[in-house]
Amino acid sequence: MNITLLLVFIPTFFFVSITPGMCMTLALSMGMSIGLKKTFYMMYGELLGVGLVATSSVIGVATIMLKYPTIFLFLKYGGGAYLAYLGIQMWMSKGKMALKLDNSCSFEISKKSLAMQGFVTAIANPKGWAFFIALLPPFIDDSLPMISQLPILILMILTLEFLCLIIYASGGSTLRKILQDSSNVRLINKIAGTLMIGIGVWLASS
C-alpha cells in the first residue's frame, strides 16, 4: 500500500463520512428510538452494504449499475416506502420501533430487520455508488497490486464509517435520555419518526 496515499485517504474519507447523509441520519434516528446497543444491528447491515458498494466500485460493477438505473428502482422505492412507513408509525407513537408511552422498554423488531434496513439504505443510493467511483480510484496506486490495496482501503472505509455511525447513534441515544428524563416520550417518537420519514423520501427520490 502506498502509505502517502493512505494517510491522505483516511482524513478525506472521515470528513466525507461524518457529513450528514442517509445512513448517518438513520443511525441518529434509531439511536433516539431504540438506543445505541440495538442500533448496532442496523450498523452491521449498513457496513456490509458499504463494503459491497466500495468493492464493486473498484472492480467496475458500479459503472454497469449506474448505466442501468432501473436496477435501483425496486430497492429505492421499496426501501424508501418501508422506512417512511416506520417513520409514520413512530411519529404516532405506534409500531415496533416507537418508544412506549408508559416508558416500557419492549423491543419487537427483529435484529435481521434492522440489519436489512441498514443494508438496503447503503446499496440503494445511486449517489453512494457514484461517490465511491469518484473517490476510490485516485487513492489506488497503479504500480502496486490491486489485491493488496483493496482490502486495506475497504478496512479503512468500514472502520471510519463505523466510527461515524457510532457518533451519530450515540448522539441520538443521548438526546433520547435527556428527553425521556422529562417524560417527553411523544416528542422523542415525533423527532425520530420525522427523521425516518425524511430518510425514506430521500432514498426514494435520490
Side-chain angles (χ1 to χ4, degrees):
M1 186 72 203
N2 186 316
I3 301 301
T4 301
L5 287 178
L6 183 62
L7 292 177
V8 175
F9 174 79
I10 292 174
T12 300
F13 187 81
F14 178 79
F15 176 77
V16 172
S17 188
I18 199 68
T19 303
M22 286 186 197
C23 293
M24 296 304 150
T25 307
L26 183 62
L28 177 67
S29 176
M30 287 191 172
M32 289 185 63
S33 62
I34 62 178
L36 175 61
K37 185 176 179 180
K38 299 182 180 72
T39 303
F40 275 114
Y41 296 106
M42 182 281 292
M43 295 183 195
Y44 300 149
E46 194 270 346
L47 291 174
L48 179 61
V50 168
L52 177 62
V53 172
T55 304
S56 299
S57 298
V58 173
I59 63 177
V61 174
T63 303
I64 299 174
M65 296 283 279
L66 290 174
K67 287 182 179 179
Y68 301 96
T70 52
I71 296 176
F72 290 106
L73 290 181
F74 176 77
L75 289 173
K76 282 179 55 179
Y77 295 133
Y82 181 62
L83 290 175
Y85 168 74
L86 289 176
I88 292 172
Q89 286 194 316
M90 291 165 65
W91 201 88
M92 298 173 65
S93 295
K94 297 179 180 180
K96 298 178 179 180
M97 293 183 64
L99 287 175
K100 306 305 177 185
L101 297 181
D102 59 2
N103 286 329
S104 63
C105 297
S106 60
F107 178 68
E108 301 173 1
I109 193 166
S110 70
K111 299 172 183 177
K112 183 178 180 180
S113 295
L114 289 173
M116 186 57 66
Q117 288 176 35
F119 181 76
V120 170
T121 302
I123 68 171
N125 180 15
K127 292 180 181 178
W129 291 81
F131 166 75
F132 277 110
I133 288 178
L135 178 67
L136 285 178
F139 294 98
I140 296 175
D141 191 335
D142 293 335
S143 65
L144 298 174
M146 174 73 71
I147 196 171
S148 66
Q149 298 179 76
L150 184 56
I152 296 175
L153 288 175
I154 298 301
L155 178 61
M156 289 295 100
I157 288 171
L158 296 182
T159 300
L160 294 170
E161 184 80 358
F162 186 51
L163 176 61
C164 294
L165 286 170
I166 290 176
I167 292 173
Y168 273 82
S170 298
S173 181
T174 300
L175 182 58
R176 169 194 183 187
K177 292 177 181 178
I178 293 174
L179 293 174
Q180 203 167 15
D181 288 341
S182 303
S183 301
N184 291 319
V185 178
R186 289 185 184 275
L187 178 59
I188 299 174
N189 285 334
K190 288 184 183 298
I191 294 174
T194 299
L195 288 172
M196 190 73 77
I197 294 170
I199 299 166
V201 174
W202 189 357
L203 180 61
S205 61
S206 65

